Amino acid sequence: MYLANDEAEAAKPASSTAPPSADATEAATAAQDEILVTGHVQRGAVATNVPPEVSLNSAVIQSLGAADLTEVFRELAPEIGATPGTSGAQRGPAIVLVNGQRIAGFSSIKDFPPESVRRIEIYPELVALQYGYGPDQRVVNVVLRDDYRALTLLGRYTMAPNNWRGLYRAKVDLIRIGENAHWNLALDYSHQDPIVADTTFAGSLAHIGATPRHTLAPQDDHLTISGASTRPIGAISAELTGSLDLDALQSRPGLLSEDADLLVQEGLADLATGPLDRVDRTARAQTSLTLNGKLDGWRWSTIAKLDESTRLTRTIDASSAAALDTILLPSPTMLGERCNGASNTDCASTTSRLASGDAYLNGNLFALPAGAVTAALRTGFVFANVRGDSALQSTDLHRSDISAQASLDFPITSRKFALGTLSTGVNAEVHRLSDFDTLSTIGSTLNWSPIVPVNIIASFNRIEQAPSLLQLGTARLVTPDLREFDFATGTTVIAQQIEGGNQNLRLSTSRIAKVRLQARPIAAADLTLSADYTWDHTRDPIMSITAATSATIAAFPDRFTRQNGFLTELDARPMNLDWRKRQQVRLGINYSTAFGGAWPDRNAAPASGTKPTVRDQFQIALYDTWALQDRVALKAGLPVIDLLGGDTLSDGGGTATHRLELQTTISTHAVSADVSGVWQTPTTTTTSSGEALTFSQGITLNLRVQINLADQAWLRRRIPWLKGNLNLSADNLLGAHTTVHDARGVVPLAYSESYLNPTGRTFRITLRKRFR
């Protein structure tokens, strides 16, 4: 047994002159042969006994060919589980930790370059409870390098050969990461050209002369200015962030000649409004302060946020064939600007303001034979305001939300028992809302590892959720001249669509049960097999209906307007349905291995005078989301809608039975590649006349090839100063898009490819230059 210094001194005999006994001599001899092993917590580790579902090292992260962490998370969507509909309570975005600590949000690190990250770990929802978050969010831990600094310049050009659409991006990022502190500043601008229709129906605009051509895809200009700083203040780690986002969309809604022919045939030629000029501008400013520390063995943190955004949309008659503005960005002074209600008929504005804060505490309460009982406690507040103004409606909504949450975890057995490691937990959360009274969440968890390679997590939660203020109070916006498929008549019509908030929304209640099995069957290989089962029953779910079927029209006749028997208006604002039941299984495999020789890690600081090395890496992840049930009751007493059996609530068809997601990378010191793909089974929807429409998605395949210019000997000899990364990418390489056809192979006009997928496949070239 090893003794500390003070304990060893106390164990010495009273007189040092006495001859040693035989026992003492034997103990001294044994001590000479003793080996002391001292363990330490891995840097940036998450404070949990739950193993990560996926752990990705720096070689895999860099081989994704991403410009920043925003694109890294987008590429890792299969691993993070960001598949639409994977949980019933509308799973929120993943909780992001940095070096095992809470941060204000992903926005504070979204601009970090991939080279600044040592590893990324993905954890199940159980870990979110341990960090004071809800039971429906996964956790992603980003572990940064402890010594990294760089100025990164990025230039990108993307081209869509189907229509020669151009997409451009330029970014400057300055970052410095130390062992206990880091900061960064970023300036990011992107531009997307519009796609303009070949011909536009002149109609009522004949008096103008040349008819302005309408757009199939809008022009988009976006500018982000952001910064973050994290540094220790004594024993406390403090993070301060700020960002400003400016975005402008320019579009020109209108009709093609064949669209106008439909209105003439229906006797509704007077509804042809001609091309319109629409400008949709958004300005958003955010700031946050996060503190993390320890107190007597307990971890604590506080987060405070301020967030304000304004979206202003103006729609006017097109008065000439003049082109859209080459570059259009709103001014930051637009924050707080609003339309003047009914007196401003061409304007719709929504302003949102939010102030929030919370305090979190986690630690051990007391010990049991199998280990310590741990507790995670959180309390917080949110004060929010949403104001919507348009000619159709004006709203001014306020909400205060005072909340408290507690999660307790009780160890039942430890590894020394035949049963293995077993723990159970309970969690509860209460929200006191000013406009919806008191809402609660209660749940329980079970975490069992019968043997080291196998882990089973089960949970059940009952969640009461209020509609957001944006769902209640977003300004009402009308978009005319849209192609809509009328499932009730089996024909394509030209109609206008209404979007915005709905002040009549009620809270929804979800009961969600989940079971996850994770296994690492081969000890010597980084291979993970997983299976997740989810059962969800939601009362009063909040959804938007965009399909005019006989069932939706019978349930909500006021949402669909007809003239001469033809659909002319569709109200797509969110509403409460009666209930929705879903079941699904998600199967996954994740494997990675190193191969080849070691090569210097250019992004790591030397340790003890030696340069760290990494090896070539191969990684693959494949997931299958298998929908077992998706049934919806629109209203009590009406027939149940089966979204897996030919029914639909969306103009995009029903729910696919299987959705396959692939993400794989291979990385060497000179070249790396990433291949990702998505495919889902076709769905079939039956119209009221009995005709079947088949919705097929095709295989969406993306390819990234990244060339490390510094490792190209032939290029280094000719241009020694040219260092950085050259990325060649192809998105939607096969040109996949939603294909809709009837039994005869006929494609309805509403589902023509030019409307569903105007951009098509794209090819891009990105050059990133880092100065260190």
Side-chain angles (χ1 to χ4, degrees), residues 122-186:
I122 302 171
Y123 290 87
E125 294 85 346
L126 176 58
V127 177
L129 288 171
Q130 297 172 353
Y131 274 80
Y133 296 102
D136 60 337
Q137 296 169 284
R138 293 197 177 191
V139 174
V140 180
N141 182 38
V142 178
V143 181
L144 302 176
R145 297 183 182 273
D146 54 11
D147 190 358
Y148 179 87
R149 65 185 71 189
L151 169 64
T152 305
L153 306 180
L154 177 143
R156 172 180 290 171
Y157 170 66
T158 304
M159 183 265 294
N162 289 7
N163 42 56
W164 302 107
R165 186 186 196 190
L167 298 89
Y168 311 86
R169 185 182 181 189
K171 183 178 181 181
V172 180
D173 180 78
L174 181 61
I175 187 171
R176 172 69 171 92
I177 301 177
E179 185 174 359
N180 299 309
H182 58 265
W183 60 268
N184 85 295
L185 294 171

Side-chain angles (χ1 to χ4, degrees), residues 485-487 490-491 646 651 653-654 682-687 690-696 739-743 746-748 751:
F485 187 80
D486 189 349
F487 290 87
T491 59
D651 53 9
T683 63
T684 300
T685 298
T686 305
T687 66
E691 188 172 30
L693 285 182
T694 300
F695 292 76
S696 303
T739 301
V740 184
H741 60 83
D742 60 19
V746 177
V747 177
Y751 294 110

Side-chain angles (χ1 to χ4, degrees), residues 704-722:
R704 312 268 187 270
V705 177
Q706 184 169 251
I707 303 172
N708 300 322
L709 300 180
D711 290 317
Q712 309 302 317
W714 63 274
L715 184 61
R716 189 171 61 247
R717 287 193 300 268
R718 291 170 173 78
I719 314 176
W721 53 268
L722 185 59

Side-chain angles (χ1 to χ4, degrees), residues 603-646:
N603 301 301
S608 303
T610 61
K611 188 71 173 178
T613 60
V614 294
R615 296 178 62 193
D616 298 338
Q617 194 83 20
F618 170 75
Q619 174 264 341
I620 184 170
L622 178 64
Y623 293 89
D624 176 18
T625 302
W626 180 9
L628 304 177
Q629 181 187 44
D630 195 350
R631 305 178 71 209
V632 180
L634 301 180
K635 280 187 175 181
L638 293 181
V640 174
I641 302 298
D642 186 358
L643 298 181
L644 285 171

Side-chain angles (χ1 to χ4, degrees), residues 470-614:
L470 287 176
Q471 289 176 318
L472 295 168
T474 297
R476 192 173 299 183
L477 181 66
V478 177
T479 302
D481 299 337
L482 295 177
R483 290 181 181 177
E484 298 286 350
F485 187 80
D486 189 349
F487 290 87
T489 62
T491 59
T492 296
V493 297
I494 306 300
Q496 67 178 15
Q497 187 175 102
I498 300 177
E499 301 171 288
N502 180 4
Q503 295 188 64
N504 297 318
L505 293 176
R506 308 182 303 274
L507 65 88
S508 60
T509 303
S510 297
R511 292 175 174 84
I512 304 173
K514 298 181 181 181
V515 179
R516 174 179 175 80
L517 170 63
Q518 178 175 305
R520 301 179 183 273
I522 305 175
D526 189 3
L527 171 66
T528 302
L529 305 177
S530 63
D532 296 80
Y533 169 77
T534 303
W535 174 89
D536 166 30
H537 183 190
T538 302
R539 280 284 182 186
D540 300 311
I542 298 174
M543 300 180 64
S544 294
I545 293 179
T546 58
T549 68
S550 57
T552 57
I553 294 173
F556 308 104
D558 57 328
R559 291 288 179 126
F560 305 91
T561 301
R562 292 183 178 273
Q563 294 185 36
N564 299 342
F566 297 98
L567 181 69
T568 57
E569 182 178 276
L570 188 154
D571 190 342
R573 292 177 299 157
M575 70 178 79
N576 289 99
L577 307 184
D578 189 25
W579 55 258
R580 185 175 188 179
K581 295 181 180 179
R582 285 184 282 184
Q583 296 184 67
Q584 72 170 34
V585 172
R586 192 166 194 257
L587 307 174
I589 178 173
N590 197 296
Y591 173 72
S592 65
T593 184
F595 65 93
W599 40 276
D601 186 354
R602 294 183 302 272
N603 301 301
S608 303
T610 61
K611 188 71 173 178
T613 60
V614 294

Side-chain angles (χ1 to χ4, degrees), residues 56-133:
L56 304 171
N57 61 28
S58 59
V60 174
I61 297 168
Q62 294 175 47
S63 64
L64 296 172
D68 47 35
L69 283 185
T70 298
E71 293 188 357
V72 167
F73 273 54
R74 189 179 303 142
E75 292 295 318
L76 295 179
E79 288 92 331
I80 296 175
T83 304
T86 52
S87 78
Q90 296 298 319
R91 171 190 287 165
I95 300 300
V96 179
L97 310 176
V98 172
N99 296 334
Q101 293 187 329
R102 299 207 315 164
I103 60 174
F106 176 64
S107 60
S108 63
I109 62 167
K110 65 181 178 63
D111 293 307
F112 282 26
E115 294 82 4
S116 66
V117 179
R118 184 181 300 277
R119 68 181 186 274
I120 291 178
E121 302 166 329
I122 302 171
Y123 290 87
E125 294 85 346
L126 176 58
V127 177
L129 288 171
Q130 297 172 353
Y131 274 80
Y133 296 102

